[in-house]
Amino acid sequence: MTPKVTQEELQAATYATLRAHATSEQAKALVAKLSAMVEDHTIQIGFRKNKRKDAAGKLGYATGAFLADLLRSWNTDKTNGWVYRSLKKASFNGEAVAWRTFAQLIEGLKGLGFLDHVTGHKVAEDPYDDRTQYASRFRATPALLKFCVDLNVEPTEWSGHFLFQYDLPEHPIALRARKPKDYFGRSSLPSGTPMEFERTNEVAKIEDAVRELNEFFDKQILRGGEHNGYIRIFSNGDDPDFDWNKGGRLYSQHMKRSYQLMSGTQRRLMTINGEPVAEIDIRASYLTIFLSMHGIQLDDTEDPYELAGFGSEHRVAVKSWFTGTFGSKRPIRKWPTKMLTDEPTLSDYRPSTITQAVMRKYPAMATWGLPINGRILNWADLMFAESEVMSGAMRKLMLIDHAPSLCVHDSLIVPVSKAATAGEAIKMTFQAKHQVLPLIKINLPTGRDETGT
């Protein structure tokens, strides 16, 4: 029977990757028993005539991979446990799970009362509108969740029992065109339309550096988050002065499921090679970089966002002013609509009042949007400068300290034993590129944070 479900739930479903396998002894036992039950049931109903010679092989892998997808989605906000996967044969070409094996698994789980299934369908009135077509949706039933618990696999602790694996990006470089409107955010997802480009020797060198980071971290074990290699995405490729010098952030694959979209609190629950992690942030990264172009070192004795007349309680508004300004052509005169939507309390502040306080503390900010050494800078230039620091620090950690690291644009995540080493790597790289020292904050897994330059 098709379960009662809303279109919002179906739209929020996560993709069933079929790219995981059981790692704990409890999960291995669970998968073995479940795949055997599926095999027996599908033979009983005539889906298969004979048992597989290696039931624990293809069907066992498919069972573990799909179960991991189902359990993970039950622990994801808004999905209500739903995952989606096309049942078209062509969608399984080149995949680790064959179409016939997956079809058997679906029939078996449904027959056992372990799986809800909503068939692929259209939701638009226009029958020719393919944009609103949904692939099949699946969800673990309460009976399957209980079955997991009975076999000592708690669904909320799925990440301790299963490991997702993907192929690393073959070409870890991408290029985007300029976004039509100003860029106000520090989004974890890239902006702009993808562009074609020639893979020159310069591009090959950039790709090789990213590929080396990817291959190094692929040998590590990450728990509590997902990462399957980086793609370095450059921006404003249609600018006249573009020379692989704009944007350039490292985006973790697959973007919408990666650790980069998790909250800071969630990220600090991750482990690398079984060790808790620390996250090292660069404080006021764009401001530090811009002031360095004027030969100015930020004061390390105070919060860079604390202005005269605006104490720490106004920090969100002041920081938002800098975010809005660096995303605009000139210092902002009014709050961007998107920023007001995300942070309604900004309406309590007049940007002009903050502008006056900023100019008193940082007179150089009056030059934002004016030529500096013959160039007018924008957010993509600052992002590139930041990305060069982060990728450089990661390479230093990899090549010299043999330490794994993950980036979240202006911060690095490392095993807690490497926190101080990572902090030094960031400072060393930043100073080499910008002739100033950054302000950094070390967020420890215990909640005991350390701040310094």
Side-chain angles (χ1 to χ4, degrees), residues 148-206:
C148 293
V149 173
D150 290 343
L151 270 73
N152 303 310
V153 174
E154 173 58 52
T156 58
E157 299 175 358
W158 65 268
S159 63
H161 298 283
F162 295 91
L163 181 65
F164 283 82
Q165 290 184 320
Y166 300 84
D167 296 331
L168 296 176
E170 181 179 359
H171 294 293
I173 293 295
L175 181 61
R176 300 290 180 102
R178 172 184 284 274
K179 192 174 181 180
K181 296 182 180 180
D182 289 338
Y183 182 85
F184 297 118
R186 303 290 298 277
S187 175
S188 290
L189 295 176
S191 62
T193 304
M195 295 179 62
E196 296 292 331
F197 58 92
E198 181 183 358
R199 285 190 153 76
T200 61
N201 289 336
E202 179 186 5
V203 172
K205 290 179 181 179
I206 299 172

Side-chain angles (χ1 to χ4, degrees), residues 69-122:
D69 285 317
L70 293 170
L71 296 184
R72 176 176 63 173
S73 189
W74 265 115
N75 293 276
T76 302
D77 293 341
K78 300 180 181 180
T79 67
N80 200 19
W82 290 99
V83 302
Y84 71 91
R85 181 80 196 199
S86 171
L87 293 181
K88 294 180 180 180
K89 288 185 179 181
S91 69
F92 288 83
N93 291 342
E95 294 291 328
V97 175
W99 172 82
R100 181 71 177 174
T101 303
F102 189 67
Q104 178 189 4
L105 176 61
I106 295 303
E107 288 301 314
L109 291 176
K110 288 167 60 176
L112 293 167
F114 284 167
L115 190 68
D116 289 331
H117 177 198
V118 175
T119 57
H121 64 292
K122 295 180 184 292

Side-chain angles (χ1 to χ4, degrees), residues 141-452:
T141 63
L144 178 55
L145 299 178
K146 182 179 183 301
F147 183 76
C148 293
V149 173
D150 290 343
L151 270 73
N152 303 310
V153 174
E154 173 58 52
T156 58
E157 299 175 358
W158 65 268
S159 63
H161 298 283
F162 295 91
L163 181 65
F164 283 82
Q165 290 184 320
Y166 300 84
D167 296 331
L168 296 176
E170 181 179 359
H171 294 293
I173 293 295
L175 181 61
R176 300 290 180 102
R178 172 184 284 274
K179 192 174 181 180
K181 296 182 180 180
D182 289 338
Y183 182 85
F184 297 118
R186 303 290 298 277
S187 175
S188 290
L189 295 176
S191 62
T193 304
M195 295 179 62
E196 296 292 331
F197 58 92
E198 181 183 358
R199 285 190 153 76
T200 61
N201 289 336
E202 179 186 5
V203 172
K205 290 179 181 179
I206 299 172
E207 280 196 326
D208 286 345
V210 180
R211 194 175 288 116
E212 197 171 5
L213 285 174
N214 288 345
E215 291 173 354
F216 178 72
F217 198 88
D218 195 47
K219 297 180 175 66
Q220 320 304 319
I221 299 176
L222 175 67
R223 293 288 192 189
E226 285 191 48
H227 173 62
N228 303 286
Y230 291 111
I231 291 180
R232 192 173 184 189
I233 300 181
F234 289 83
S235 306
N236 293 15
D238 47 353
D239 277 3
D241 62 340
F242 176 81
D243 188 22
W244 299 101
N245 58 353
K246 297 178 183 292
R249 276 184 170 173
L250 292 168
Y251 290 92
S252 172
Q253 303 303 292
H254 296 82
M255 292 181 196
K256 293 186 178 180
R257 298 190 300 274
S258 84
Y259 72 90
Q260 288 180 338
L261 293 187
M262 295 164 58
S263 69
T265 300
Q266 290 174 317
R267 290 196 298 267
R268 287 164 67 181
L269 295 176
M270 298 191 305
T271 62
I272 297 177
N273 297 331
E275 186 177 346
V277 299
E279 185 164 357
I280 299 88
D281 295 319
I282 300 178
R283 305 176 67 197
S285 174
Y286 281 10
L287 176 60
T288 306
I289 291 169
F290 181 69
L291 292 181
S292 75
M293 297 174 180
H294 295 270
I296 300 171
Q297 166 73 60
L298 267 182
D299 188 344
D300 64 353
T301 64
E302 59 182 28
D303 185 339
Y305 295 131
E306 192 163 318
L307 309 175
F310 292 89
S312 58
E313 68 273 20
H314 306 291
R315 191 176 193 276
V316 171
V318 174
K319 185 176 180 180
S320 296
W321 184 94
F322 280 101
T323 300
T325 291
F326 285 135
S328 302
K329 294 179 180 179
R330 292 286 289 149
I332 58 173
R333 297 182 177 181
K334 64 179 182 178
W335 297 115
T337 302
K338 183 180 184 303
M339 295 186 74
L340 283 172
T341 301
D342 294 341
E343 186 56 62
T345 60
L346 293 179
S347 61
D348 298 334
Y349 299 87
R350 295 179 62 185
S352 59
T353 305
I354 298 178
T355 299
Q356 293 172 7
V358 169
M359 298 308 168
R360 286 194 293 269
K361 184 170 184 176
Y362 304 116
M365 283 301 303
T367 68
W368 176 251
L370 301 177
I372 298 178
N373 297 325
R375 292 182 61 211
I376 296 178
L377 302 177
N378 60 32
W379 63 267
D381 297 298
L382 297 181
M383 184 181 286
F384 175 73
E386 179 185 86
S387 73
E388 286 286 277
V389 170
M390 304 315 290
S391 59
M394 293 173 75
R395 287 186 59 79
K396 188 266 181 187
L397 288 168
M398 174 183 67
L399 297 173
I400 298 177
D401 304 298
H402 310 292
S405 62
L406 296 169
C407 77
V408 191
H409 311 321
D410 59 358
S411 69
L412 286 185
I413 299 170
V414 296
V416 68
S417 63
K418 298 295 183 180
T421 302
E424 289 301 314
I426 292 174
K427 289 190 287 185
M428 182 186 304
T429 308
F430 204 110
Q431 188 173 38
K433 293 183 178 295
H434 301 294
Q435 291 74 56
V436 298
L437 284 171
L439 279 62
I440 66 170
K441 180 179 181 181
I442 299 178
N443 302 295
L444 301 172
T446 58
R448 295 180 292 103
D449 300 338
E450 299 177 1
T451 304

